[in-house]
Amino acid sequence: MQVAIVGSGYVGLVAAACLAEIGHTAVCIDNDAAKIAALERGDPPIHEEFLPVLLERHRGKTLHFTTSLEEGIRKSAIIFIAVPTPPSESGDADVSVVESVCQDIARRMNGFRLVVVKSTVPAGTNNWIRRVLQRNGVQAHCFDAASNPEFLREGTAVTDFLYPDRIVLGCDCGRAAEMLKQVYQPLLDGSYAASKNAIPAPDDALVPARLILTSSASAELIKQGSNAFLAMKISFINAVANICEATDADIEEVVDGIGSDQRIGRKFLKPGIGYGGSCFPKDLLAFRAVARDQGYDFRLLEEVKRINEEQRRLFLRKVRGALWTLKGKRLAVLGLAYKGGTDDIRESPAIGIVQALLREGCEIVAYDPAAMKRAKAEFQPCCSIRFTETAYEAAADADALLVLAEWEEFAALDLERLREQLKHPIVIDGRNVYSREQMRKAGFCYFSVGRPETQPDVRSAIQSSDAAA
Ligand code: UGA
């Protein structure tokens, strides 16, 4: 099929590349000319596993990029809208870009079109889209509108798209449902997964993907409800982690016990410095605003947000607890992205913590495998922050090492080498990347989230320094 995707952010770009991968001809439209030019050259603007492979496979063949909405929608019967819906002053999602794209589509339509919203939007948006199209001269029989929320995560976006837990199609008429089922057929019948050059499926992939057909309003709520629930799981476990610290319990053991209940599950119960990114913080506010507009005060969501913000403050307190005074201390920071596996620093708890430490007079030496370019732009040149090419360089002569994002690369570091770099063998881990046992053996004073503080195993530290001598 021929499909158009308006917006080349995370969702739009990944959707366009994956739709080409499952056999469609996709055109991705964005009004950012520099971004489109880069994509036409094959330079992905984001760090995302498998995206370069998909661009290489399909760019210029069944995957095209353009700044012209007209060109993009002329031949495409289905138009996906994947533009940003940032928070407004009051917290609700600003859907003005969605509206203006619909007005533009209405002016350029030359036949029947199915307009599908992929952006995260408040319940009721589909009804507004119908109204906007009609107000702009499109007759009711010339279009359908549908909601097809996306559940991909940054860092694993391509495999999340190609091997989803579920495909939600919010359609208020049979024709829209049939068209969208056809789009996703290779994922719904498992034929994509069985194809020769398929991107490898994650171990826990559900093949074929489950189809969930709903009304458009339900689909919109499924998306907002999913993100709010996941954020709530994280805040819940962070609150439990804080109680663990006060009672000398170990959150890893507690999560193992709680998560073994199949009704609860282990996923998204990883404690840390809180969630960040372009979705959870914004979507939580937007969901609360939707509830408020309907006359329901969803206060639980406010508490989820409060606990999340508290995690950063508690982490800073932990740093102070480990180092006493902060002024003039040199701190190595590993991880600046809002989580491992991405170069995205939007609403990153790591950035917030680094800013607070700089205000306290610390000197920061930071390393992140992918987010450094974006992070550099975030700090004034006069700030006491330097960036290094490796984790070991960041650790050189530092008073302590802070882990702020859960990159696999950090878990695989040579801990002996890391310890030798540091001025003092102190690690404060905001993401529980290491086990306490591992850090004890490697000779570190180790502070983490929801677990008792660990002191070095003196014997192994002496043995390793003897061996080095
Ligand atoms: C999130 C959702 O997981 C996706 O399903 C959704 O499609 C997406 O938002 C969106 O709405 O577009 P994403 O923001 O990419 O995806 O990242 P997550 O992997 O969900 O992580 C979000 C934050 O929660 C990160 O800061 C991460 O470090 C933190 N987190 C996650 C925890 O602190 N603990 C956990 O157990 C899991």
Side-chain angles (χ1 to χ4, degrees):
M1 296 172 91
Q2 177 98 33
V3 295
I5 298 93
V6 186
S8 68
Y10 259 96
V11 171
L13 177 56
V14 171
C18 290
L19 288 169
E21 172 71 0
I22 62 173
H24 304 296
T25 298
V27 55
C28 187
I29 309 151
D30 201 295
N31 55 14
D32 183 337
K35 206 169 171 190
I36 290 296
L39 284 166
E40 280 180 318
R41 288 194 304 272
D43 295 339
I46 49 175
H47 172 90
E48 199 58 57
E49 201 183 3
F50 299 121
L51 189 58
V53 179
L54 298 190
L55 288 179
E56 181 65 35
R57 279 186 192 172
H58 307 296
R59 186 175 49 92
K61 296 170 203 151
T62 54
L63 176 59
H64 305 279
F65 298 99
T66 179
T67 52
S68 159
L69 187 68
E70 181 133 30
E71 184 192 321
I73 69 168
R74 214 176 32 221
K75 292 193 219 140
S76 310
I78 305 184
I79 304 161
F80 291 94
I81 300 182
V83 295
T85 50
S88 66
E89 286 277 300
S90 54
D92 42 353
D94 176 358
V95 285
S96 56
V97 182
V98 174
E99 181 181 8
S100 80
V101 165
C102 289
Q103 288 164 343
D104 286 347
I105 291 173
R107 277 185 227 114
R108 291 171 172 84
M109 271 173 55
N110 57 345
F112 177 85
R113 293 290 181 275
L114 172 61
V115 178
V116 186
V117 183
K118 265 205 179 293
S119 307
T120 303
V121 291
T125 300
N126 254 257
N127 291 339
W128 272 109
I129 287 176
R130 288 189 191 104
R131 260 180 258 174
V132 169
L133 290 171
Q134 285 183 307
R135 278 178 192 172
N136 285 276
V138 186
Q139 291 185 322
H141 66 273
C142 286
F143 77 91
D144 277 333
S147 166
N148 170 216
E150 196 45 72
F151 302 97
L152 53 83
R153 290 161 298 176
E154 293 186 15
T156 52
V158 169
T159 48
D160 284 346
F161 190 99
L162 295 171
Y163 300 99
D165 288 352
R166 76 292 208 195
I167 293 171
V168 175
L169 303 181
C171 305
D172 301 319
C173 74
R175 177 167 51 177
E178 284 314 311
M179 287 177 82
L180 281 173
K181 273 200 256 176
Q182 226 179 311
V183 169
Y184 287 106
Q185 196 54 31
L187 306 182
L188 293 169
D189 63 15
S191 59
Y192 172 72
S195 63
K196 195 161 143 254
N197 291 322
I199 296 292
D203 292 341
D204 56 353
L206 281 180
V207 178
R210 184 170 170 214
L211 172 67
I212 299 183
L213 266 179
T214 67
S215 67
S216 60
S218 296
E220 288 159 347
L221 269 175
I222 287 171
K223 171 67 189 184
Q224 285 196 310
S226 298
N227 273 8
F229 191 86
L230 290 170
M232 182 185 72
K233 267 187 117 174
I234 299 169
S235 279
F236 181 86
I237 212 61
N238 279 332
V240 176
N242 296 334
I243 302 171
C244 285
E245 286 181 21
T247 55
D248 258 1
D250 182 330
I251 189 70
E252 304 298 329
E253 293 174 356
V254 174
V255 165
D256 195 32
I258 294 178
S260 305
D261 185 328
Q262 287 190 27
R263 292 170 302 174
I264 298 173
R266 286 163 204 276
K267 290 185 179 165
F268 271 70
L269 287 183
K270 197 146 177 39
I273 50 176
Y275 60 77
S278 64
C279 302
F280 285 173
K282 154 182 95 74
D283 292 348
L284 206 74
L285 287 179
F287 197 24
R288 187 157 191 225
V290 164
R292 199 180 45 224
D293 289 349
Q294 303 308 319
Y296 181 70
D297 187 7
F298 204 159
R299 255 180 287 173
L300 173 64
L301 300 183
E302 185 58 36
E303 191 57 17
V304 169
K305 175 172 174 267
R306 190 197 62 76
I307 295 172
N308 194 54
E309 287 164 359
E310 182 75 3
Q311 283 311 104
R312 299 183 195 190
R313 282 192 286 277
L314 291 175
F315 184 79
L316 287 167
R317 202 164 83 183
K318 199 166 283 169
V319 177
R320 273 187 222 104
L323 299 176
W324 191 19
T325 65
L326 291 180
K327 198 167 172 190
K329 294 265 162 74
R330 177 189 290 195
L331 301 179
V333 165
L334 300 190
L336 296 162
Y338 78 94
K339 65 172 185 176
T342 178
D343 60 347
D344 198 338
I345 57 161
R346 284 175 289 175
E347 300 286 328
S348 168
I351 298 285
I353 286 169
V354 167
Q355 280 164 339
L357 290 168
L358 287 168
R359 281 196 297 273
E360 298 259 8
C362 294
E363 183 193 338
I364 303 289
V365 190
Y367 168 71
D368 186 287
M372 235 126 67
K373 194 166 156 225
R374 289 180 199 267
K376 276 180 193 167
E378 198 66 15
F379 297 96
Q380 301 290 335
C382 58
C383 276
S384 301
I385 183 164
R386 274 195 302 119
F387 299 90
T388 59
E389 293 297 312
T390 67
Y392 302 108
E393 282 173 66
D397 216 24
D399 289 285
L401 179 109
L402 274 46
V403 182
L404 301 183
E406 61 278 38
W407 279 94
E408 280 173 23
E409 179 182 322
F410 300 159
L413 286 172
D414 175 344
L415 294 177
E416 297 263 309
R417 187 172 160 203
L418 197 65
R419 197 194 61 226
E420 282 158 14
Q421 297 293 313
L422 287 163
K423 195 196 291 180
H424 304 297
I426 300 171
V427 171
I428 310 160
D429 182 355
R431 298 292 194 174
N432 291 4
V433 165
Y434 305 105
S435 77
R436 290 170 62 221
E437 186 56 13
Q438 181 186 20
M439 296 307 268
R440 190 178 61 78
K441 282 195 183 143
F444 285 102
C445 272
Y446 180 56
F447 304 83
S448 54
V449 181
R451 301 184 293 182
E453 181 184 322
T454 305
Q455 291 302 324
D457 178 344
V458 179
R459 242 184 346 186
S460 62
I462 293 171
Q463 272 165 7
S464 63
S465 62
D466 282 355

